[in-house]
Amino acid sequence: MAYKDYYDTLGVSRSASEGDIKSAYRKLAKQYHPDKNPGDESAAGKFKEMGEAYAVLSDPEKKKVYDTYGHSGQVPPGAYPGGAGGGADFGGFGGVDGSQFSDFFQGLFGRSGGRGGMGGAGGTQVNFEDLLGGAGGGIGGGRRFVQNVEGELQVSLREAYSGTDETITVDGKRISMRVPAGTRNGGRLRLSGQGPGGGDVLLTVRVLEDARFELEGDDVNVTVDVPVHVAAVGGPARVPTLKGDVTLNIPAGSSGGRQLRLKGQGWPKKGGGAGDLYAKLNLTLPASLSEQEQALYQQLADLRK
């Protein structure tokens, strides 16, 4: 099995700071984002691997376990958050293929379909609560064990914004569920009675960072490339939003770095309505200029002297 090194996946050293890890992830995610590489399975695979690596290295507890036991792949009892361990072989944690980490919990708790994956480097935690059942709860009226299963579900920013349907597997049973629109990072979802023995399934939602959009409270920030001549004289430009692209009229004389607000195009608010989207202008020039264009730019430069 191939060794999977999360630091190598993100191209950072083991001494990299939290900021370095975040910066490396955002740079690579922008390069391999599915929206920029439609139909490219290789890019999609790399994008998923980067999300898996970032999910571990951006979480202090998971990173600590990975740094401590990563080379051996053997996690002692109680070392991993949620009580996993006891010599369990956590695949991606050194020496074995990262997919084995997901396989460790597959029989009890898995996710099929969709991106991100249950378990794996996302850090599925399995906890059990033993509750006494009434008479007849087990063979001969013995104890009846109810198991609460706790895990982490990864979704993209767009999926969290619009909501998404997922299918997970708990104790061999496939369960369809809905992640509500506007779900925040760290949000908790409870599937009552869907766990082993009638227990609950408790999911913590991790919203993966997006290479294009940045969420700040209820507002969304995005950078928009605008040709310099459009910024100078004004004109339309396409602005990406979480709902889809819209046309925005760029005011004449706009400079690079200027932010234009699109009201109500941000993240859904709990009490109704939505935040705003702020489009930051990035002025661009053609990669090459014709002789006529060069002459016109020279005329403009002479006028500005």
Side-chain angles (χ1 to χ4, degrees), residues 131 144-149 170-171 173 193-200:
L131 304 178
R144 176 176 179 268
F145 292 95
V146 178
Q147 298 174 356
N148 282 0
V149 183
V170 180
D171 200 24
K173 179 176 65 175
Q194 297 296 320
D200 297 340

Side-chain angles (χ1 to χ4, degrees), residues 15 57 69 87 104 109 152 161-162 265 278:
S15 61
L57 299 184
Y69 305 104
F104 178 78
F109 195 170
E152 185 176 271
Y161 173 79
S162 59
Q265 294 289 337
Y278 289 88

Side-chain angles (χ1 to χ4, degrees), residues 20 48 52 146 175 178 230 250 252 256-257 260 263-264 268 296 299:
D20 292 335
K48 182 177 179 180
E52 178 181 308
V146 178
I175 302 172
R178 177 73 180 173
V230 173
I250 306 299
L260 301 178
K263 190 174 181 180
L296 291 172
Q299 290 180 30

Side-chain angles (χ1 to χ4, degrees), residues 36-274:
K36 289 194 173 183
N37 302 274
D40 188 336
E41 294 185 3
S42 175
K46 290 181 179 179
F47 184 76
K48 182 177 179 180
E49 288 179 3
M50 288 182 295
E52 178 181 308
Y54 184 71
V56 170
L57 299 184
S58 64
D59 186 298
E61 290 187 3
K62 295 170 190 171
K63 182 177 182 295
K64 182 178 180 180
V65 174
Y66 178 80
D67 289 342
T68 303
Y69 305 104
H71 291 291
S72 67
Q74 299 294 320
V75 183
Y80 193 75
D89 192 351
F90 287 77
F93 287 12
V96 295
D97 185 78
S99 63
Q100 298 301 310
F101 188 89
S102 299
D103 294 340
F104 178 78
F105 289 118
Q106 180 124 18
L108 176 64
F109 195 170
R111 177 189 183 198
S112 58
R115 290 168 293 178
M118 286 301 307
T124 291
Q125 302 174 19
V126 178
N127 299 327
F128 302 103
E129 288 183 2
D130 294 347
L131 304 178
L132 287 175
I139 298 176
R143 296 183 68 184
R144 176 176 179 268
F145 292 95
V146 178
Q147 298 174 356
N148 282 0
V149 183
E150 188 169 319
E152 185 176 271
L153 181 67
Q154 295 181 8
V155 297
S156 69
L157 187 70
R158 289 178 182 269
E159 289 172 332
Y161 173 79
S162 59
T164 180
D165 294 315
E166 300 292 345
T167 300
I168 63 174
T169 302
V170 180
D171 200 24
K173 179 176 65 175
R174 290 170 61 84
I175 302 172
S176 297
M177 58 170 293
R178 177 73 180 173
V179 178
T183 296
R184 301 272 182 164
N185 185 52
R188 300 273 285 177
L189 302 177
R190 179 187 294 269
L191 305 179
S192 299
Q194 297 296 320
D200 297 340
V201 177
L202 308 173
L203 299 176
T204 299
V205 179
R206 173 178 284 276
V207 180
L208 300 176
E209 290 193 16
D210 191 283
R212 177 173 292 184
F213 300 100
E214 181 181 2
L215 183 61
E216 186 176 350
D218 295 325
D219 297 328
V220 176
N221 299 317
V222 65
T223 299
V224 181
D225 291 336
V226 177
V228 66
H229 67 274
V230 173
V233 301
R238 300 294 291 176
V239 177
T241 76
L242 290 169
K243 294 181 180 179
D245 290 355
V246 299
T247 300
L248 177 66
N249 186 52
I250 306 299
S254 294
S255 58
R258 179 177 182 178
Q259 286 189 317
L260 301 178
R261 184 178 73 159
L262 282 73
K263 190 174 181 180
Q265 294 289 337
W267 202 261
K269 296 181 179 180
K270 289 184 178 180

